[in-house]
């Protein structure tokens, strides 16, 4: 109804770009935000870059678990690099314009890398499942070729659906205001400035989010139900502790990534507020990638040892 009224009160326009309103118009606050976001981005690059280097060079980390971790860290860098450099440039230049094509490309890559992370987290959960539930067959199942195929499948499998999702959003008519009350091009703010009766498009878009977002989450949940069941059957308390410790870092990452994403995209539309959406977007787009290296380094003895070798103190 809201979109229908907007269509009758405004002429359709050939939108050639959008204005990203960001977080604040206060010049002083923009400078502060620029400094904070720059520190966060550099932390993401350095932290995840270090994880990539040690998983590639340290002989003790040449296992499937760390192979997946290195690829996940690379994805974290790609994921944040889609939005953060543009946000930093907007804050520095105070020019918040983004062209229609740039917005579409940004959203497309943002969705592709985000879904690839979902798939890769699912693969990492499967790796933990095989480790704990089928230890005798681990080396046979999780051989190098299988690991490479799973990573490639995670990347390729995310592309067609998210390109279709992006094309569907940008095929909508836009009229009236071209201001996006967000820091980057995302699904929710774009739907808010679309015109006409887009209810069917919204249902299709959110169905895609449920399908591509919830399916990996449910697979991870199923894996961990079986993992926890197997761990509880272990007789040795030391064995149970070691098994839980092996999975804890991945569980924390899954909780942060999927928790913020589910709250952002799957909560009722009536509870969507621009300020809340911006904060949530920062959480899954910046905070989680920044803490990923800390989560794995602080809770994993092998990673700590490898970092000490690489960074002499």
């Amino acid at each position: 109804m809201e979109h229908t009224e907007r269509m009758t009160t405004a002429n359709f326009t050939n939108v050639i770009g959008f204005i990203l309103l960001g977080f604040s118009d206060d010049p002083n606050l923009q400078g502060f935000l620029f400094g904070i976001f720059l520190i966060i981005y550099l932390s993401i690059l350095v932290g995840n870059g270090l994880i990539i280097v040690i998983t590639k060079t340290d002989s003790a980390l040449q296992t499937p678990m760390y192979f997946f971790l290195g690829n996940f860290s690379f994805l974290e860098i790609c994921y944040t690099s889609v939005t953060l450099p543009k946000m930093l440039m907007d804050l520095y230049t105070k020019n918040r314009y983004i062209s229609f094509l740039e917005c579409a490309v940004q959203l497309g890559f943002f969705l592709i890398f985000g879904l690839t992370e979902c798939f890769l987290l699912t693969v990492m959960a499967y790796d933990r499942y095989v480790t704990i539930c089928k230890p005798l067959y681990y080396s046979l199942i999780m051989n190098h070729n299988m690991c490479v195929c799973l990573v490639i499948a995670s990347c390729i499998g995310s592309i067609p659906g998210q390109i279709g999702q992006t094309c569907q959003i940008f095929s909508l008519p836009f009229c009236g205001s071209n201001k996006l009350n967000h820091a980057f091009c995302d699904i929710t703010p774009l739907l808010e400035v679309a015109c006409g009766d887009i209810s069917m498009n919204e249902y299709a878009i959110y169905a895609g989010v449920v399908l591509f977002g919830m399916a990996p989450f449910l697979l991870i949940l199923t894996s961990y139900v079986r993992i926890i069941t197997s761990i509880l059957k272990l007789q040795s308390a030391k064995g149970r502790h070691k098994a839980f410790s092996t999975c804890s870092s991945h569980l924390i990452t899954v909780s942060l990534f999927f928790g913020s994403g589910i709250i952002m995209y799957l909560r009722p539309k009536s509870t969507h507020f621009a300020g809340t959406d911006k904060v949530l977007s920062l959480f899954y787009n910046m905070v989680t990638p920044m803490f990923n290296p800390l989560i794995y380094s602080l809770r994993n003895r092998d990673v700590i040892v490898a970092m000490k070798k690489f960074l002499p103190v």
Side-chain angles (χ1 to χ4, degrees):
M1 182 66 182
E2 178 186 347
H3 289 290
T4 304
E5 291 175 356
R6 199 186 309 166
M7 179 181 65
T8 59
T9 57
N11 295 323
F12 287 99
T13 57
N14 184 20
V15 174
I16 60 172
F18 298 99
I19 303 297
L20 298 167
L21 297 183
F23 293 94
S24 173
D25 290 323
D26 186 339
N28 295 324
L29 187 55
Q30 285 191 29
F32 173 75
L33 289 173
F34 176 82
I36 293 295
F37 290 170
L38 181 60
I39 291 171
I40 291 175
Y41 187 49
L42 291 176
S43 300
I44 291 169
L45 294 179
V46 172
N48 286 284
L50 184 58
I51 292 289
I52 294 169
V53 171
I54 64 172
T55 55
K56 294 294 182 184
T57 59
D58 195 284
S59 58
L61 302 183
Q62 302 304 304
T63 64
M65 181 174 75
Y66 297 112
F67 173 76
F68 294 135
L69 177 59
N71 281 277
F72 184 74
S73 292
F74 175 72
L75 265 177
E76 293 278 51
I77 292 174
C78 295
Y79 184 57
T80 54
S81 295
V82 172
T83 56
L84 256 174
K86 171 63 176 170
M87 290 167 61
L88 288 169
M89 187 172 68
D90 290 351
L91 289 167
Y92 184 75
T93 63
K94 300 178 176 59
N95 179 13
R96 302 174 183 179
Y97 177 80
I98 184 169
S99 71
F100 191 86
L101 179 60
E102 288 174 330
C103 190
V105 170
Q106 186 182 69
L107 178 65
F109 278 107
F110 180 72
L111 294 177
I112 288 170
F113 287 133
L115 183 59
T116 303
E117 286 201 5
C118 291
F119 288 162
L120 194 54
L121 284 170
T122 307
V123 168
M124 293 167 78
Y126 176 69
D127 174 65
R128 296 298 84 207
Y129 163 74
V130 177
T131 301
I132 293 171
C133 301
K134 300 180 182 293
L136 297 178
Y137 300 97
Y138 182 76
S139 59
L140 182 64
I141 297 173
M142 300 305 293
N143 57 68
H144 181 70
N145 289 337
M146 174 60 75
C147 294
V148 172
C149 288
L150 287 171
V151 171
I152 293 173
S154 297
C155 297
I156 295 176
S158 65
I159 295 174
Q162 299 315 300
I163 289 179
Q165 189 95 300
T166 303
C167 291
Q168 185 177 21
I169 291 172
F170 281 90
S171 65
L172 297 173
F174 294 97
C175 64
S177 174
N178 67 337
K179 295 180 179 179
L180 299 181
N181 196 2
H182 209 61
F184 57 89
C185 292
D186 202 355
I187 294 175
T188 303
L190 283 165
L191 290 179
E192 288 175 354
V193 298
C195 301
D197 183 8
I198 62 167
S199 55
M200 292 305 296
N201 302 83
E202 286 183 312
Y203 291 142
I205 290 165
Y206 286 116
V209 171
V210 171
L211 176 64
F212 294 118
M214 289 303 293
F217 179 71
L218 291 175
L219 287 172
I220 292 172
L221 197 60
T222 302
S223 297
Y224 272 104
V225 167
R226 295 186 178 184
I227 287 170
I228 292 171
T229 302
S230 298
I231 290 175
L232 293 177
K233 290 179 181 177
L234 296 175
Q235 300 296 322
S236 166
K238 184 178 180 181
R240 289 196 298 271
H241 179 268
K242 183 178 179 180
F244 275 121
S245 178
T246 302
C247 301
S248 60
S249 299
H250 181 253
L251 267 175
I252 294 170
T253 302
V254 167
S255 301
L256 290 173
F257 183 81
F258 279 96
S260 56
I262 288 170
I263 293 171
M264 176 69 184
Y265 292 108
L266 297 183
R267 73 188 195 276
K269 189 177 178 181
S270 59
T271 63
H272 277 269
F273 299 101
T276 306
D277 288 350
K278 290 177 189 178
V279 172
L280 285 171
S281 69
L282 287 181
F283 199 85
Y284 64 75
N285 192 37
M286 287 194 281
V287 176
T288 302
M290 181 177 65
F291 280 111
N292 174 52
L294 290 175
I295 292 169
Y296 277 95
S297 61
L298 293 177
R299 300 189 62 84
N300 190 302
R301 184 173 297 175
D302 292 335
V303 174
I304 293 173
V305 171
M307 284 190 173
K308 285 181 178 179
K309 290 180 188 175
F310 189 78
L311 299 172
V313 291

